[in-house]
Amino acid sequence: MASDERTIAVGDGFTVTPGCDRSFATCKAKFANAVNFRGHPYMIGDDAALAAAASSTPLDGGSRYGN
């Protein structure tokens, strides 16, 4: 066992805090804190930037996210 690990025993105290995966969806839904999100939720990634256009995708200049 590494020196920074310890065995959990009955009666040990601990604190549980909600985790954050740093996504806009989690910030909005889990923490109701979308207004303070400091990331870029609508920036496309490399996969979208390099993908070929599909004929079923409207190319009207509108939002890709329906808003």
Side-chain angles (χ1 to χ4, degrees), residues 16-43:
V16 178
T17 57
C20 176
D21 62 2
R22 303 196 191 303
S23 73
F24 179 72
T26 299
C27 197
K28 181 179 177 183
K30 187 174 185 178
F31 300 105
N33 197 22
V35 71
N36 292 317
F37 182 74
R38 296 189 52 131
H40 302 281
Y42 301 116
M43 183 177 288

Side-chain angles (χ1 to χ4, degrees), residues 1-2 5-7 11-12 14 18 20 22 24-25 27-29 31 34 40 43-45 47 54-55 58 61-62 67:
M1 186 176 339
E5 295 179 7
R6 48 183 215 127
T7 305
D12 283 353
F14 58 92
C20 176
R22 303 196 191 303
F24 179 72
C27 197
K28 181 179 177 183
F31 300 105
H40 302 281
M43 183 177 288
I44 60 173
D47 55 338
S55 60
N67 51 1

Side-chain angles (χ1 to χ4, degrees), residues 57-64 67:
T57 305
L59 303 174
D60 59 2
S63 173
R64 298 179 59 213
N67 51 1

